[in-house]
Amino acid sequence: MTFRRKLLVVFALTVFLSVASVALLVQWVTRNAFEKTENLRTAALVTQFQREFNRRGDDVAKRVEAIAASDSITRMATALNGTSSDFAEYFDLARVMAESHQLDFLEMVDARGTIVSSAQWPAKFGYPEPAFESISTSNDQSPFLKLEELQDSTAMGFFAAHAIHAGDRSVYVVGGRRLDKNFLLALDLPADTRVLLYQNRGDHFSPELLLDPGAGTSVADPARPAEKFAPLIDAVRKYDQEISGLVDWTSDRADEEVFHAIPLRGVGKDRPLLGILLIGNSRRSYVELKRRIRDSALLVGGGGIVLAILLSSWASARVTRPVEQLARAARDVTSGNWNASVQVEGHDEVAQLAESFNRMTSELLAQKERLLQTERVAAWRELARRLAHELKNPLFPLQLTVENLIRAREQSPEMFEEIFRESSQTLLAEISNLKGIIGRFSEFSKMPQPQLQRVQVNEIAEAVARLFQAQFIAQGREPIHCQMQLDRHLDPVAADPELLHRALSNLVLNAMDAMPNGGTLTLRTRRDDGKAVIEVCDTGSGLTREECERIFTPYYTSKQHGTGLGLAIVQSVVSDHGGRISVQSEPGKGTTFVIELPSNVGALPQATLSQEEIAGKLPV
Amino acid sequence: MKHFAFHWLAVSSLFLGLLARAETRPQYGGTLRVTMYAAPATLDPADSRVPDSFARRSVASLLFDTLVTWNTGHAQPGLAESWQSSKGNQRWQFRLRHGVKFHDGTALTSDIAAASLRLANPAWSVRAEGESVVIDCDEPNPEMLAEVALPRNAIVKRDSEEKVSGTGPFHIVEWQPGKKLTLAAEEDCWRGRPFLDGVEIEMGRSFRDQATALEVGRADLVEIAPEQAHHFPAARGRLVNSAPIELMALVFARDVSSPDEKLLRAALELSVDRGSIHSVLLQGAGQPAGSLLPTWISGFGFVFSSQADLQKARQLRDQVHTARVWTIGYDGADAVARLLVERIALNAKDAGLSLVPTAVGASDLRLIRIPLASSDAWTALEGIAAQAGLSKAKNNGATVEELFAAEQAALASQRVVPLFHLPVFYAASGRLRDWSLRADGSVELANAWLGAAK
């Protein structure tokens, strides 16, 4: 990934993460605010319920008190205080009084807790009032909640009890009104809020016990089945405390409601759980607000990313242009253009870097010039040393021969003729030697430019092996075993077959010289990253590290009678083909020369020599 | 002065005495206003689609006559001057009275009378024989006189349009089925013209409305619910009640189908606290009943216990592993029936039984009121058996022992649980005089007259 793309990604991610963070923050704040509002609304509703409960309760208490103060009840209390237990006369009294005082429930209970008259269940006279103990022992006259068992159902209501003391015994008037849909409908509910009531009867949740003022019958509403409340109801029954829970009606989260379940208790020592008030707040407004925030965030984020891409493209282009120029210049330097430089604009860090780069290249160029100069001088010195060394050997016999001739003419003229003949031969031989030395130097200086054509490297290697096959097993020396490890799928390369043959021959000669006691010579070809690789390995004495470093230097040799030009020629040939040569060696473990040649076949002209023609031109 | 005062006092007393005598003397004229709870859709006494009721019997007695009348165990001549039985009470011959005419002017003949009886009793073989009507039965029927005295056996002349005509003291002026019946005195009634000029009967009125109508003077004769009779103020009018002539009972829809059900039915019967219901819900009206027939008819009703025994009821219930829930039906328009059913359900719950009251649809058992057909024990028992779905009691000798056995057998079937025997109550305004109740609970108005309000 380019530096510009990285910058683009960084900018875009930065914008996206910023927008996402802001959106999350807003959502978090919104949720907290919503929950706070919800809690406030719930608290307000609970307060309102309590207020309405107290109001209704007070109203019931007043009506019950009025009934208790009536003459009929007083007469009844007086009669029941005596020995009479005949309820017949009062059988219908509760109904009549309940109707006249607009109460849903009214019972007269005697001192033993027996129902004397009942408005809600007239047939229940003579039966005990289940809540009598709580009613009779409670000193608190305040209203209370009570589950009233009826003939075919059970109803919850606000109740108040009043005792009439007539003589030793008391008679109780217990009246109440239903806590029903009308009561729930009378609550002034905020928008998106509703209240339901569950009558706590039985051991398990039952949909029939749920009172939903908003529905005809809560059970019949298929969209909002009452069974959804079961976990919340069961939790309140289990933990006996206020609990909030989420009820999801559909897959749409906007339909979710948060219900706050408040246990409603009756009177008595145990304060039984009679009902559960369910205050529900719709999450629609919150979910829709959340969706709006999310949509806005997505819109702003998307726009921000696009804007960020545009801006960052411009910004990164500004930032990366000098860097790209630097990279380009560095590539030029790598490819040998030491004169490459970067245009310096501005005074920022990148400009300073560009200036440093220019200074670096100019310094490198100067150092290169100095190095070349130094190397040139060193080469000349080496050449002079080699020339001196090479020329000194034949010159010394020449000098001695000429001095012998002079000495013979002066001291032994009779032998001068014979000495002259011998000296002449010596002089000619040494002169010939001098000419040979000069020829070799001349030949090195006249290395021809390679004539490139399609060449199969394997064939060159095989030709070289065949050329030296006789010498590997020649008399008077230890035999050398030649191994050919050639990659048969090696592609042809653009090369001069003669020069390549000559280079390989030099390497084989060098290997033979390194194995005076015989050994194994391996010629190996292979492909490596589109290049043809030729390896020439011997099992000779090997080279030291210093020798490895200097072995391609012209006129450097480790042999007793070498000119030091063989490997220099090889390196020259390989270099002229655009390749490179390296050596891997350790003393005592042999030496491997590795030639890497680029293919370059595509650069050749169309008309190239056939393989047979190439083979025909090769020296055998 | 003392003499003058004495004479004045004597003359005043004589005058007041004459006035009093004049007031007790029957007076012709006036229209009697009657209200009733029942709302029959037809006036034909033989129409079995209309349930029997005391009001229907009263209306029938105003329009129609029977061959004989049955009162306190004895038959009195009606349209039949005389009668005789033969073949061991298997054949009965009734000789018709002369000079009787129907309201449409048609003379009473044996053919018309036989046709009327045939329609009412398809099982009878009835034929006209001269001026007599002869009834042949498949079996000896010693209770034939009580039976022919039943309102349904009244002699009715039916024309081609199914219009009915009777020989009673009043004829129909206007008839709005189920709503209102206006009658006028029959001038040529064989029993003589009634004192009243007419009778207006409003039907389908609740007991509360009837009491109100009596109180405000819009009615002269009303029905009073037994449970409300206790609170009927004497100042409002004259309250008259019959002997307990109505059986209130629980009737099962099916026969006992298993030993377990037999135990459960017995448990239910023992669980019902008739005493509390009688004293409170019925306000002491009538009598708790363990028998089908009241003691005043059978003479042995007290033998059958009506006491609740909750402990024994629970024991019986506990002998059954699983008791299914029974539905108990009642007449939704009958307020006291609803209360009774609720109370019975409560009592049953104490015994471990489950009863669910229902006012509509079929039910496993039902609280019903059965007006006893007659003061004759066998006839009444047969009427109960017919309404409760029991098999007909066989009456061969009509002895008390056989009657007891028949009732015991009926109770042993456990199809019916007798609860109460209730009287029928009527209240009349102070101006209605000389009216009375028959033994079958119907009102006798043939000799009634309207005087000045007291």
Side-chain angles (χ1 to χ4, degrees), chain B residues 298-329:
Chain B
S298 66
F300 50 75
F302 60 88
V303 175
F304 298 94
S305 173
S306 62
Q307 292 294 315
D309 189 341
L310 195 58
Q311 189 177 359
K312 190 173 179 184
R314 283 181 183 145
Q315 287 174 356
L316 293 173
R317 164 65 187 88
D318 291 343
Q319 292 177 35
V320 180
H321 184 259
T322 304
R324 74 179 187 89
V325 176
W326 279 331
T327 53
I328 176 169

Side-chain angles (χ1 to χ4, degrees), chain B residues 7 34 51 79-80 98 111 116 132 142 238 253 270 276-277 282 289 303 368 386 426 440 447:
Chain B
H7 287 298
V34 180
L79 291 178
H98 286 285
D111 288 332
S116 176
S132 298
R238 181 186 167 210
L270 286 169
S276 293
I277 296 174
L282 297 177
V303 175
I368 61 172
Y426 294 93
D440 66 354
N447 298 316

Side-chain angles (χ1 to χ4, degrees), chain A residues 95-111:
Chain A
R95 183 188 63 79
V96 173
M97 299 295 267
E99 281 183 4
S100 63
H101 288 79
Q102 296 179 322
L103 288 176
D104 298 318
F105 310 110
L106 184 64
E107 279 181 351
M108 286 76 175
V109 183
D110 70 7

Side-chain angles (χ1 to χ4, degrees), chain A residues 229-263:
Chain A
F229 289 107
L232 190 58
I233 298 293
D234 290 340
V236 174
R237 289 156 59 128
K238 183 177 180 183
Y239 301 110
D240 199 22
Q241 62 181 15
E242 295 185 11
I243 291 177
S244 295
L246 190 67
V247 178
D248 50 336
W249 299 109
T250 63
S251 56
D252 185 2
R253 297 197 64 187
D255 288 336
E256 289 177 349
E257 286 182 287
V258 176
F259 276 90
H260 191 71
I262 302 169

Side-chain angles (χ1 to χ4, degrees), chain A residues 394-404 427:
Chain A
L395 281 178
F396 185 67
L398 280 176
Q399 185 183 355
L400 288 178
T401 303
V402 172
E403 286 176 357
N404 278 338
L427 287 174

Side-chain angles (χ1 to χ4, degrees), chain A residues 88 91 122-123 125 127 149 151, chain B residues 279 281 283 343 347 349-350 357:
Chain A
F91 160 70
F125 65 88
Y127 275 78
E149 190 183 0
Q151 170 67 32
Chain B
S279 63
L281 297 183
Q283 295 288 295
R343 183 70 180 189
N347 291 159
K349 187 178 176 184
D350 291 341

Side-chain angles (χ1 to χ4, degrees), chain A residues 485-540:
Chain A
Q485 297 178 357
L486 306 180
D487 182 356
R488 293 300 171 188
H489 302 291
L490 198 63
D491 295 327
V493 299
D496 186 326
E498 286 187 20
L499 291 178
L500 193 57
H501 188 276
R502 187 172 167 185
L504 279 181
S505 298
N506 281 352
L507 290 177
V508 171
L509 279 173
N510 208 50
M512 290 175 65
D513 290 342
M515 294 184 290
N517 298 323
T520 300
L521 172 70
T522 304
L523 285 175
R524 185 182 298 122
T525 60
R526 58 183 170 87
R527 282 186 303 176
D528 184 15
D529 195 21
K531 295 176 182 175
V533 178
I534 309 167
E535 292 179 359
V536 179
C537 312
D538 65 57
T539 56

